[in-house]
Amino acid sequence: MIKPIVAGNWKMNKTPSEGNKFSLSLIENLDSISDTDVIICPPFTGLNSVVPSDCYDLGAQNCYFENSGAFTGEVSVDMLIDCKVKYVILGHSERRTIFGEDDKVIGDKVSSVINANMIPVLCIGETIEELNKGLAKETVYKQLKKGLSKVGSLKDIVIAYEPVWAIGTGLTASSEKISEIHSYIRGVLTEFYNETESSLIPILYGGSVNSNNAEELINVDSVNGFLIGGASLDVEKFVDIIKIVDKK
Ligand code: PGA
């Protein structure tokens, strides 16, 4: 049995003081949640402003794979550990498309996060062009192969399937499509590792998840939770989704 995860990716939103307020009201609202792991991922500047709590874990939205040195603008795994970060989102489509990260860099980051005893949330997913050409499976296969090239075991890793065309657009993949791709991902992981490990890895869905579609999506076979952008910025909407997942 995989414990469901609901992760909020704030992207470049919320100042440290706004994040602090959000975390206080999140704590007030998560009393009844017992069967779901909640993660919030503020920007780097907000990591230390979120109030520490047993109700959720802290995630970062990125990191660099070198430990220290002349890498202007980057943040290392040790810096994140010092901020009590447990999860690191890697390979998000906005990192891939806007900031030009390729699968090789993402693979190096995944490996450095695992070596630092944090948990990477490796994001994969096809663009609309790839979808229209029937290349969704080829795309996620390639992203998994390269993103996991230095990973010996799936024990401490989370996968997030996020079709790029569904992110921030209000469009979601159909339940059938999500089920097909999630099962495909699990099959690929069985091929790369083994059935025991692939059956235990959480595979999240991301892309315009909200409180109206969460119920249907969490009941899709092989969906173990969500990575949420827009709807994670509002405490009420975020908590609604967490409650839906928790009562599943
Ligand atoms: P969205 O973003 O929920 O706003 O579509 C998801 C994501 O980018 O992780």
Side-chain angles (χ1 to χ4, degrees), residues 9 11 92 94 162 166-169 206-209 227-231:
N9 173 14
K11 308 192 180 187
H92 190 281
E94 286 146 23
E162 300 202 300
I167 295 177
T169 58
S208 297
V209 176
L227 180 56
I228 303 170

Side-chain angles (χ1 to χ4, degrees), residues 1 14-15 26 33 67 93 119 138 200 225:
M1 176 69 187
K14 295 197 190 295
T15 60
L26 187 60
I33 303 301
N67 286 336
S93 73
I119 300 176
E138 281 80 351
L200 293 173

Side-chain angles (χ1 to χ4, degrees), residues 41-127:
C41 307
F44 293 136
T45 50
L47 288 171
N48 270 342
S49 305
V50 163
V51 177
S53 167
D54 291 343
C55 300
Y56 48 71
D57 289 306
L58 209 48
Q61 300 175 18
N62 185 26
C63 74
Y64 198 49
F65 55 81
E66 296 286 357
N67 286 336
S68 63
F71 303 104
T72 301
E74 293 297 325
V75 165
S76 74
V77 290
D78 286 346
M79 295 169 189
L80 296 182
I81 290 169
D82 202 59
C83 293
K84 311 275 182 290
V85 165
K86 183 169 170 187
Y87 295 86
V88 185
I89 298 173
L90 294 171
H92 190 281
S93 73
E94 286 146 23
R95 299 297 319 168
R96 293 176 189 265
T97 55
I98 305 172
F99 301 100
E101 291 191 13
D102 61 18
D103 285 312
K104 157 93 178 64
V105 167
I106 294 162
D108 288 342
K109 292 181 174 193
V110 167
S111 147
S112 76
V113 164
I114 290 177
N115 291 339
N117 292 320
M118 291 184 292
I119 300 176
V121 179
L122 173 62
C123 301
I124 57 173
E126 79 284 359
T127 61

Side-chain angles (χ1 to χ4, degrees):
M1 176 69 187
I2 301 171
K3 191 170 182 190
I5 294 173
V6 178
N9 173 14
W10 293 357
K11 308 192 180 187
M12 198 174 74
N13 293 292
K14 295 197 190 295
T15 60
S17 40
E18 288 166 348
N20 173 272
K21 274 200 209 107
F22 179 101
S23 67
L24 286 169
S25 79
L26 187 60
I27 293 167
E28 279 173 21
N29 282 284
L30 289 185
D31 261 4
S32 57
I33 303 301
S34 52
D35 297 323
T36 305
D37 285 332
V38 177
I39 306 168
I40 48 177
C41 307
F44 293 136
T45 50
L47 288 171
N48 270 342
S49 305
V50 163
V51 177
S53 167
D54 291 343
C55 300
Y56 48 71
D57 289 306
L58 209 48
Q61 300 175 18
N62 185 26
C63 74
Y64 198 49
F65 55 81
E66 296 286 357
N67 286 336
S68 63
F71 303 104
T72 301
E74 293 297 325
V75 165
S76 74
V77 290
D78 286 346
M79 295 169 189
L80 296 182
I81 290 169
D82 202 59
C83 293
K84 311 275 182 290
V85 165
K86 183 169 170 187
Y87 295 86
V88 185
I89 298 173
L90 294 171
H92 190 281
S93 73
E94 286 146 23
R95 299 297 319 168
R96 293 176 189 265
T97 55
I98 305 172
F99 301 100
E101 291 191 13
D102 61 18
D103 285 312
K104 157 93 178 64
V105 167
I106 294 162
D108 288 342
K109 292 181 174 193
V110 167
S111 147
S112 76
V113 164
I114 290 177
N115 291 339
N117 292 320
M118 291 184 292
I119 300 176
V121 179
L122 173 62
C123 301
I124 57 173
E126 79 284 359
T127 61
I128 191 69
E129 292 79 20
E130 288 161 339
L131 177 74
N132 289 339
K133 285 188 198 149
L135 294 175
K137 286 182 180 163
E138 281 80 351
T139 301
V140 298
Y141 185 93
K142 196 176 74 190
Q143 291 171 334
L144 284 170
K145 178 115 192 138
K146 297 198 176 153
L148 298 174
S149 61
K150 295 181 171 175
V151 175
S153 155
L154 295 175
K155 204 159 62 62
D156 284 314
I157 180 157
V158 174
I159 302 290
Y161 169 59
E162 300 202 300
V164 178
W165 50 270
I167 295 177
T169 58
L171 303 169
T172 47
S174 68
S175 296
E176 294 73 27
K177 186 77 194 160
I178 297 171
S179 171
E180 184 188 337
I181 299 283
H182 277 230
S183 310
Y184 175 74
I185 292 169
R186 232 177 261 290
V188 170
L189 296 176
T190 304
E191 177 192 322
F192 292 172
Y193 297 88
N194 58 60
E195 190 150 4
T196 313
E197 292 207 18
S198 72
S199 68
L200 293 173
I201 184 170
I203 305 179
L204 313 183
Y205 170 77
S208 297
V209 176
N210 59 46
S211 43
N212 297 322
N213 59 26
E215 174 113 44
E216 179 183 343
L217 296 174
I218 197 60
N219 283 302
V220 173
D221 201 32
S222 234
V223 169
N224 307 117
F226 301 128
L227 180 56
I228 303 170
S232 75
L233 296 174
D234 179 288
V235 177
E236 262 178 49
K237 291 183 186 159
F238 190 48
V239 169
D240 280 351
I241 298 171
I242 295 166
K243 285 186 174 158
I244 290 168
V245 170
D246 197 61
K247 80 168 165 32
K248 191 203 159 187

